[in-house]
Amino acid sequence: MKTLPFLRYGIAAIALMAAHATQAETRIGAIFDVTGPLNIYGIEQQRALELAVDNINENGGLLGEPVKVVSYDAQSELSKYTQFTHTAILRDKVDALFAGLTSSSREAIRPIIRKADIPYFYASLYEGGACDKQTFVTGTSASQQLSVLIEWAVKEYGKRIYIMAPDYNFGTISAHWVHEYARSLGAQVVGQDFLALTVTDFTPTIQKIQASKPDFVVALPVGSNQTGFLEQFSAAGLKDSIGIVSSNYGSGNQQVVVSPRAGDGIISNQGYYMAVDNPTNRDFIELWKQRHPIKAPLTSGAVAVWNAVNLWAKAVEKAGSADSDAVIEALESGLTFEAPNGTVKLEPGSHHLRQNIYIARGNDKHDFTILETFPSVAPFYENEKCDLIADPDLVEHFSPEAD
Amino acid sequence: MDIDYLATVILSSLSSASILLIATIGLAVVFGLMGVINLAHGEFLMIGAYSALTATQMGVPFVLAIPIAVAVTMAIGALVEVLIIKRLYGRIFDTMLATWGISIVFYQLAVMIFGTVTPGIGMPQSNIQIGDYSLAGYPLLMIGVAALMGLFVYFLMTRTVYGMKARASIQQPEMAQAIGIESTRVNTLTFSIGCGLAGFAGAVLLPIVPATPSMGFSFVIKAFLTVVVAGPVTLTGSVLTAIGLGGGASITASFLTSVAGDIFFFLITAALLWLYPLGISAKWRRKL
């Protein structure tokens, strides 16, 4: 019979697949926006993940086995995140997932991950407040950054604050924190404007800023279109009299787009700058250079992914297996890691990262000069609200506006 | 409200309206005049911006980089027309699909060629002072640029032989061919001019809006709405709509919030389309 060989091959293939599935190899899923408008961030995230995994594999792998990466391109589309998270879990049976850039992508992924019960790492600066047993955040949260930034800026510039923020939850929650920290410092928010993401003409905002005479502006423009704000602000001749501080300027290398004159003197604060000076960062940059030419400075997003993969690997080593419960328990044991941005510590209760926050000043060479380092800053709000050791069943997205 | 503030608001909302108009005129030609829904309009703007940026990086003065950008976008526009658009006249949905695809391709090409971030050229640091307020000079200059651009297209389309041929080829293609106009070639040129105008916009706005692969997106929605509201008398209609909607939105944003400005823009657009489904100029007796 002619069909017999096929049948035999078929059975052999199934047997092989079954053997493959039971193999002890650990595999992780990566879903980033490698194409589409968000690949400004996604390509770097993907590269950071591959770099981290290759580095682990070159140093003997995990538990004696190489780590395998299954990558998916979310194409800057939210629906793809849902789809690929399902694929990663059901078809490719990943042991951990590293995915997402926008908060909406994270919120699309979290429910699926909870059901599958595998560790999920979100590595991006964001508005803060995500809290459940499976989710781990290695980016900085809004309260973590702004607490440092506002205090510094009030001391540097004065007590009159103007807020200019994008009109969605990152912007409104960040604005909330600015109000709160201003109040505790005895400073005053003299005006605020929320802008749609597609705004390119900032003259009305710039007029309102002039009308309310602030000492400094907290500018949180998202996306490179809004770098136009800095050009227009600078061209109007306001930079000498009014300071500009931002918790996300530079996260997408906006300082490269902005002209030297407009970018000079802009204050940015994040968890990482390429200019951070320590041996680990030098090695990290060297390692990166061996793989990809560095055309634009490495960003905090890339380092957050690197840290996420390495923290996960440490947890697997500690647990002695890639099994979810054991790894999550190890992740909650107060892990620390020598990261390019200084020593970081994964907070057991909140699943957020205690890490250095840097204040940097944009210079006239499309880059940053670090002014001050605030060591080991806690994710304040998350630590206050989210304690997954005391309450492991907590599933929340805390927002200070709802409190 | 003091008089200085009012003066700056009026000046700056005129400049906002002008920026909108500059970004829209190319679309007024391609969509308004030719009826081609070019969803890649924003990407032509982006190509113009990158062409001008590349030229200035190679040492060409900015003023001369603008005509280079126009030439590049016109050439690419002509190519797109001959290869794709030509086969799709009268098939609105197919055109939309095709131009949407083109926009994705152009976007991704820009990412591949220029990377995701490219240094901008910055804005001339000149400004004017009105009382306590200062306004950047370059955006104000756009008022003049928009006026010149509008006049140029108006005269090109109404007072030149080409303009008459162009309108004839679109409105009565068979009759135009019968009297010896090569309507397919004229259409290629018209589409190419529309793209060139988008390229001009991208280049001249480069100091205000830095070149990024996704920059087209922020313009294209409002540009389309402006042309749709304008209706059949494309050019005059677009000028009025840009001043009304763009200027109005800017004034609203100055006194309330930027979100209120956007709400104004979209609400008035919806209301105008409800009152004038064919556009505000549906009953005007003008050519353009």
Side-chain angles (χ1 to χ4, degrees), chain B residues 125-271:
Chain B
Q125 303 284 308
S126 65
N127 51 64
I128 63 159
Q129 199 75 26
I130 302 174
D132 283 349
Y133 302 95
S134 84
L135 284 168
Y138 194 80
L140 294 179
L141 190 66
M142 292 303 106
I143 301 173
V145 171
L148 286 177
M149 210 175 160
L151 286 174
F152 168 76
V153 174
Y154 185 80
F155 281 107
L156 181 71
M157 290 298 171
T158 57
R159 301 289 156 83
T160 64
V161 176
Y162 155 73
M164 279 180 249
K165 282 184 182 173
R167 284 179 296 134
S169 306
I170 293 148
Q171 287 163 12
Q172 301 288 341
E174 277 152 21
M175 187 56 89
Q177 277 165 353
I179 60 168
I181 297 171
E182 275 189 272
S183 61
T184 48
R185 273 183 55 189
V186 173
N187 280 343
T188 307
L189 184 58
T190 310
F191 188 83
S192 157
I193 287 174
C195 295
L197 289 167
F200 175 81
V204 82
L205 295 177
L206 182 60
I208 305 176
V209 186
T212 56
S214 59
M215 67 183 289
F217 179 71
S218 50
F219 286 108
V220 79
I221 299 170
K222 285 186 174 172
F224 259 105
L225 290 177
T226 307
V227 178
V228 171
V229 171
V233 186
T234 311
L235 191 66
T236 321
S238 295
V239 172
L240 282 183
T241 316
I243 293 174
L245 287 176
S250 177
I251 292 174
T252 315
S254 295
F255 286 109
L256 300 167
T257 66
S258 294
V259 173
D262 267 4
I263 292 172
F264 172 92
F265 189 100
F266 294 115
L267 271 186
I268 301 294
T269 300

Side-chain angles (χ1 to χ4, degrees), chain A residues 41 44 124-126 139-141 144-146 148-149 170 219 221 246-255 267-274 276 297-304 341 355-361 368 370 372-374 377:
Chain A
Y41 307 93
E44 223 182 47
S124 167
L125 67 86
Y126 83 123
T140 45
S141 73
Q144 197 171 10
Q145 286 175 272
L146 288 168
V148 172
L149 181 64
F170 172 78
S246 171
S247 61
N248 62 353
Y249 175 69
S251 64
N253 273 331
Q254 291 90 336
Q255 82 281 5
I267 299 298
S268 160
N269 92 317
Q270 283 182 46
Y272 174 78
Y273 293 94
M274 201 165 144
V276 167
L298 301 177
T299 59
S300 56
V303 170
N341 55 335
Q355 55 188 317
N356 292 357
I357 299 288
Y358 300 89
I359 294 211
R361 185 180 184 281
F368 289 108
I370 293 174
E372 230 173 298
T373 305
F374 293 80
V377 177

Side-chain angles (χ1 to χ4, degrees), chain B residues 79-99:
Chain B
L79 201 67
V80 166
E81 204 274 349
V82 171
L83 292 178
I84 300 164
I85 308 291
K86 187 190 247 173
R87 295 150 217 276
L88 301 172
Y89 283 120
R91 291 157 62 184
I92 289 180
F93 287 106
D94 299 345
T95 321
M96 281 171 74
L97 197 62
T99 52

Side-chain angles (χ1 to χ4, degrees), chain A residues 4 14 76 115 133 150 158-159 173 193 207 233 273 317 331 363 385:
Chain A
L4 206 59
I14 290 167
S76 307
K115 222 167 147 188
K133 197 70 179 170
I150 302 305
K159 292 193 167 182
I173 290 177
D193 198 8
Q207 279 157 20
F233 189 83
Y273 293 94
E317 288 285 357
L331 283 166
N363 58 32
K385 288 284 171 184

Side-chain angles (χ1 to χ4, degrees), chain A residues 34-318:
Chain A
V34 183
T35 56
L38 292 178
N39 71 357
I40 299 172
Y41 307 93
I43 292 173
E44 223 182 47
Q45 290 178 303
Q46 179 71 29
R47 285 179 175 175
L49 180 123
E50 285 167 7
L51 192 68
V53 171
D54 288 351
N55 188 45
I56 290 167
N57 288 345
E58 275 158 27
N59 291 307
L62 264 188
L63 310 174
E65 290 277 345
V67 179
K68 189 169 180 281
V69 181
V70 193
S71 299
Y72 315 83
D73 175 11
Q75 301 162 35
S76 307
E77 274 179 44
L78 200 51
S79 62
K80 294 280 190 293
Y81 276 104
T82 321
Q83 182 192 332
F84 288 140
T85 306
H86 279 300
T87 311
I89 290 163
L90 298 174
R91 190 191 69 189
D92 297 325
K93 302 199 168 28
V94 298
D95 296 301
L97 185 70
F98 300 79
L101 171 77
T102 59
S103 285
S104 44
S105 69
R106 183 194 62 245
E107 292 311 305
I109 292 166
R110 278 174 67 205
I112 308 169
I113 287 293
R114 281 198 293 272
K115 222 167 147 188
D117 192 22
I118 58 167
Y120 161 51
F121 290 84
Y122 175 63
S124 167
L125 67 86
Y126 83 123
E127 73 280 1
C131 175
D132 64 46
K133 197 70 179 170
Q134 288 77 17
T135 304
F136 294 85
V137 180
T138 55
T140 45
S141 73
S143 63
Q144 197 171 10
Q145 286 175 272
L146 288 168
S147 57
V148 172
L149 181 64
I150 302 305
E151 190 176 348
W152 184 90
V154 167
K155 228 181 277 170
E156 177 79 15
Y157 296 110
K159 292 193 167 182
R160 295 174 63 85
I161 307 173
Y162 192 96
I163 305 168
M164 175 255 187
D167 189 30
Y168 73 112
N169 70 355
F170 172 78
T172 52
I173 290 177
S174 294
H176 175 96
W177 288 117
V178 177
H179 277 275
E180 188 141 328
Y181 293 123
R183 209 169 19 248
S184 70
L185 294 162
Q188 187 194 359
V189 175
V190 292
Q192 62 181 8
D193 198 8
F194 293 104
L195 298 109
L197 289 170
T198 51
V199 170
T200 49
D201 174 22
F202 296 93
T203 29
T205 308
I206 288 172
Q207 279 157 20
K208 280 184 281 184
I209 291 173
Q210 295 185 64
S212 50
K213 297 186 175 57
D215 293 318
F216 67 95
V217 178
V218 182
L220 307 172
V222 171
S224 30
N225 279 329
Q226 300 203 10
T227 47
F229 169 74
L230 299 173
E231 295 292 346
Q232 292 171 34
F233 189 83
S234 163
L238 301 173
K239 251 178 53 183
D240 300 331
S241 52
I242 303 171
I244 291 192
V245 305
S246 171
S247 61
N248 62 353
Y249 175 69
S251 64
N253 273 331
Q254 291 90 336
Q255 82 281 5
V256 176
V257 180
V258 164
S259 65
R261 215 164 351 174
D264 187 21
I266 310 289
I267 299 298
S268 160
N269 92 317
Q270 283 182 46
Y272 174 78
Y273 293 94
M274 201 165 144
V276 167
D277 189 28
N278 67 44
T280 320
N281 189 34
R282 281 195 287 277
D283 293 346
F284 172 71
I285 293 170
E286 201 42 54
L287 204 60
W288 190 292
K289 272 187 190 156
Q290 288 167 13
R291 292 284 297 267
H292 308 284
I294 299 185
K295 283 192 205 149
L298 301 177
T299 59
S300 56
V303 170
V305 173
W306 168 270
N307 292 351
V309 175
N310 280 293
L311 282 165
W312 169 78
K314 273 194 119 172
V316 172
E317 288 285 357
K318 186 166 183 172

